[in-house]
């Protein structure tokens, strides 16, 4: 049950998990965008292109499930990646109602350039933490998300 607050309660938003996660996420995105400036990808385009490459071919629905990006947003990202010629869309041979998304050779090239940069971005985001804290943070975030723990 949620306790209703009154004027006497001490509620400090800067101490709330959601606030801290949101601020950390925006800190990470800032680092990501500054670092990826030499590519033609935004952080979400990188995530979607990475997922398409990982899945080899996928539907829009599968891409939503893989990335956690909502249906409306993924549509625009797919269009922008298609406009940049990083992906192609083709009808499914078995189900003509379904469209399959594939990474193109130029998409593979762009992703290959971006992956080493993306790897360094995590290091930059976690720079204030010691090695044990980095492991603990990743463990706890996976636990919160309900992911299998390594």
């Amino acid at each position: 049950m949620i306790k209703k607050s009154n004027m006497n309660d001490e509620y400090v938003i800067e101490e709330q998990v959601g606030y801290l996660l949101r601020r950390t996420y925006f800190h990470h995105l800032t680092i990501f965008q500054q670092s990826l400036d030499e590519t033609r990808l935004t952080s979400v385009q990188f995530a979607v292109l990475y997922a398409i490459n990982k899945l080899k071919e996928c539907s829009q629905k599968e891409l939503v499930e893989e990335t956690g990006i909502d249906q409306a947003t993924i549509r625009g990202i797919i269009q922008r990646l298609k406009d940049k010629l990083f992906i192609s869309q083709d009808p499914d041979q078995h189900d003509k109602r379904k469209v399959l998304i594939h990474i193109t050779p130029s998409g593979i090239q762009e992703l290959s350039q971006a992956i080493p940069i993306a790897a360094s971005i995590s290091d930059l985001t976690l720079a204030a933490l010691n090695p044990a804290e980095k492991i603990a943070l990743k463990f706890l975030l996976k636990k919160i998300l309900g992911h299998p723990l390594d």
Side-chain angles (χ1 to χ4, degrees):
M1 183 162 134
I2 298 175
K3 179 183 160 193
K4 290 187 180 185
S5 65
N6 61 44
M7 297 302 279
N8 297 330
D9 288 345
E10 278 281 332
Y11 179 87
V12 180
I13 196 165
E14 293 84 3
E15 296 294 322
Q16 305 308 308
V17 172
Y19 175 86
L20 293 169
L21 288 170
R22 187 175 61 255
R23 291 294 304 263
T24 302
Y25 176 68
F26 284 120
H27 171 69
H28 176 72
L29 278 183
T30 299
I31 293 168
F32 207 104
Q33 238 13 86
Q34 289 170 348
S35 300
L36 272 185
D37 273 351
E38 61 192 76
T39 72
R40 297 187 304 158
L41 297 169
T42 65
S43 60
V44 291
Q45 289 172 356
F46 169 79
V48 170
L49 194 59
Y50 181 90
I52 294 166
N53 186 60
K54 177 183 168 187
L55 297 171
K56 301 300 178 215
E57 74 174 15
C58 58
S59 66
Q60 187 171 304
K61 181 179 182 283
E62 291 166 325
L63 206 48
V64 166
E65 292 167 2
E66 181 70 22
T67 62
I69 299 170
D70 66 87
Q71 192 75 247
T73 304
I74 206 87
R75 235 179 272 125
I77 296 167
I78 289 169
Q79 187 58 55
R80 285 186 283 286
L81 289 172
K82 195 172 161 188
D83 292 346
K84 293 177 181 182
L85 306 176
F86 293 159
I87 62 169
S88 63
Q89 292 179 294
D90 304 299
D92 185 332
Q93 297 300 317
H94 307 295
D95 182 352
K96 297 297 181 193
R97 298 168 296 167
K98 190 175 177 182
V99 174
L100 295 176
I101 304 164
H102 304 88
I103 192 166
T104 64
S106 62
I108 291 170
Q109 183 179 357
E110 191 73 14
L111 188 60
S112 296
Q113 180 185 351
I115 285 175
I117 298 167
S120 71
I121 292 166
S122 287
D123 293 334
L124 291 170
T125 300
L126 302 176
L129 304 179
N130 67 43
E133 290 170 331
K134 291 175 187 180
I135 291 168
L137 177 62
K138 290 178 188 177
F139 176 87
L140 293 170
L141 290 171
K142 288 177 182 180
K143 189 172 184 178
I144 289 170
L145 291 172
H147 288 196
L149 303 173
D150 301 328

